[in-house]
Amino acid sequence: MSEMPRYNGFVPPPTRGEAVVRRLREEILHGILPPGAPIRDAELAERLGVSITPIRESVAVLISEGLVEALPNKRRSVVVLTQKRAQELMDVLGVVVSAGLERVDGPPAKRRSLAKACREFATAAGASDAAKSEQTFRRFLEQLYALAGNDELSRASEAVIRRALGMIRLYPSDHLMPMWVEAFNDIAGLIVEEPAAAASRARSFFATLVTAMGADRESTAVVRP
């Protein structure tokens, strides 16, 4: 979630809907709302002391992030992230990132700016700063798809990225961060002069990542925060 704007050091409080989204997201990420837990609007509204409307709006946001699943008969529940599903998320994320890199175009100055954004993400990932890592990764992707020059790819990728980054928050991944750091430093070094090689490095990285994740647990095991 992006940081709220600051005005002379003053941070405006979140709206009620934003506050509810933040609260429910944290409860899911910390296992207070466990995998498979039913989402009942009235119960949540009573517990959090709000009306039904901000609950429904918040649940819609969490569905878009992949943290809540819409089920038949208008039921909703906390997502159940299996090991197989986590690997599939990273596989498809690799597809859209590589597709963007394959299409990078534009003047060298903009490609250098993209390389800088890529290195900033690698630095944040190396520091194990989850919030900064997500923020800088999103910034890198925004610049990437702007340089790719394909609006339909950008739109299609947006939904994939939102779900992948939302759900993967549930995955304990500190042991995988050195792989991300090495790969994205390599990609940053290739983007300006060899974007095709950068795309190839991204494909190789995500394939290796998915394989490495497979050693974490059985494919059917539920990943718990």
Side-chain angles (χ1 to χ4, degrees), residues 83 87 171 175 209-218:
Q83 179 64 34
Q87 290 174 240
Y171 197 96
H175 62 299
L209 173 67
V210 170
T211 299
M213 290 171 67
D216 287 342
R217 57 188 64 80
E218 293 294 326

Side-chain angles (χ1 to χ4, degrees), residues 43-112:
E43 290 181 5
L44 290 174
E46 182 178 3
R47 177 162 67 83
L48 298 180
V50 298
S51 67
I52 290 290
T53 298
I55 295 293
R56 288 176 177 166
E57 292 173 349
S58 300
V59 170
V61 171
L62 295 173
I63 288 174
S64 75
E65 293 180 358
L67 292 176
V68 170
E69 291 188 298
L71 304 172
N73 300 320
K74 298 183 178 181
R75 294 176 297 121
R76 287 83 48 83
S77 68
V78 175
V79 67
V80 177
L81 181 64
T82 62
Q83 179 64 34
K84 180 176 183 291
R85 193 171 191 179
Q87 290 174 240
E88 290 174 344
L89 283 169
M90 290 299 98
D91 182 39
V92 75
L93 180 62
V95 169
V96 298
V97 171
S98 300
L101 287 166
E102 287 171 352
R103 291 161 176 77
V104 164
D105 198 1
K110 288 191 175 181
R111 281 181 277 164
R112 283 194 291 271

